């Protein structure tokens, strides 16, 4: 195991331990300020941000993705189906990496995924809301919706509305 564990109750830290290295080559141990790549754990925070906007009445779980991106070529996909991994959209990791139309030396941005979907229209895996299939594409689209609705970049929104209020001082997107 390489990472950190912290257990707290009502603001009191009951247990805190860090194990592993923040720089394995130099054998520099990690500590409470070490930035860690959270990978798909970040989807939970994206869902929180999405539901904040629902609570504020800025979006609805039943809003179509086309409300935010009119050229989106897949009707019937909603915010809810993105959150629940029931959109039927294929995972961009596969349809872009298998494409000869994407320069693999270029760092992929969320907007690139949407633009690729609009221009290339990769086949859906199934009709929305008929099955569950974990797909990173869903959360790329949610991040883009958060940007569109808030008028802020996804990292800025997350910092201001999720990480800072939770006092997550070493977290970022």
């Amino acid at each position: 195991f390489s990472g950190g564990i912290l257990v707290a109750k009502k603001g009191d830290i009951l247990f805190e331990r860090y194990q592993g290295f923040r720089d394995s080559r130099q054998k520099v141990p990690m500590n409470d300020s070490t930035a860690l790549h959270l990978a798909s754990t970040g989807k939970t925070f994206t869902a929180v941000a999405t539901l904040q906007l629902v609570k504020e009445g800025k979006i609805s779980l039943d809003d179509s993705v086309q409300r935010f991106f009119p050229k989106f070529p897949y009707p019937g996909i909603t915010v809810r189906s993105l959150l629940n991994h029931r959109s039927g959209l294929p995972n961009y990791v596969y349809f872009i990496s298998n494409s000869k139309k994407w320069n693999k030396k270029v760092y992929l941005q969320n907007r690139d995924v949407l633009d690729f979907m609009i221009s290339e229209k990769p086949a859906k895996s199934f009709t929305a809301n008929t099955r569950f299939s974990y797909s990173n594409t869903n959360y790329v689209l949610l991040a883009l919706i958060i940007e569109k609705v808030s008028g802020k970049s996804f990292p800025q929104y997350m910092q201001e509305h999720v990480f800072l209020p939770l006092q997550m001082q070493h977290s970022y997107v």
Side-chain angles (χ1 to χ4, degrees), residues 4-172:
I5 298 173
L6 185 138
V7 178
K9 183 176 181 180
K10 296 183 181 180
D12 294 323
I13 296 174
L14 304 176
F15 178 82
E16 183 174 11
R17 182 170 173 201
Y18 303 92
Q19 183 173 315
F21 299 102
R22 67 176 181 205
D23 182 338
S24 57
R25 289 185 209 123
Q26 302 289 324
K27 302 289 187 209
V28 177
M30 65 174 53
N31 59 33
D32 66 347
S33 299
T34 302
L36 301 171
H37 179 66
L38 296 179
S40 288
T41 305
K43 288 180 177 67
T44 306
F45 293 104
T46 303
V48 165
T50 302
L51 294 173
Q52 284 177 340
L53 294 171
V54 169
K55 185 177 178 183
E56 293 170 10
K58 295 181 179 176
I59 63 175
S60 165
L61 291 174
D62 297 318
D63 283 341
S64 167
V65 174
Q66 291 172 321
R67 171 186 170 210
F68 309 100
F69 309 108
K71 293 181 181 177
F72 186 70
Y74 308 96
I77 296 175
T78 64
V79 170
R80 183 187 317 269
S81 59
L82 296 175
L83 282 166
N84 294 333
H85 292 287
R86 295 177 59 84
S87 69
L89 294 172
N91 197 327
Y92 78 87
V93 172
Y94 305 117
F95 68 73
I96 287 185
S97 64
N98 292 335
S99 172
K100 293 180 178 19
K101 295 185 179 185
W102 185 257
N103 179 354
K104 296 178 183 48
K105 294 178 184 176
V106 175
Y107 186 73
L108 189 65
Q109 303 288 319
N110 288 345
R111 184 65 203 206
D112 297 325
V113 173
L114 176 61
D115 292 343
F116 189 92
M117 293 178 78
I118 290 169
S119 67
E120 301 303 316
K121 300 171 186 57
K124 286 177 34 180
S125 300
F126 54 89
T127 302
N129 300 311
T130 61
R131 290 185 16 212
F132 170 90
S133 180
Y134 186 88
S135 175
N136 293 320
T137 306
N138 296 322
Y139 279 74
V140 163
L141 292 170
L142 288 169
L144 289 166
I145 290 170
I146 291 166
E147 289 183 337
K148 182 94 169 187
V149 171
S150 71
K152 299 178 181 197
S153 71
F154 182 64
Q156 181 183 3
Y157 183 90
M158 295 301 290
Q159 193 66 34
E160 292 175 10
H161 296 270
V162 177
F163 300 138
L164 287 177
L166 293 173
Q167 299 177 13
M168 295 174 68
Q169 300 167 357
H170 303 290
S171 301
Y172 62 93

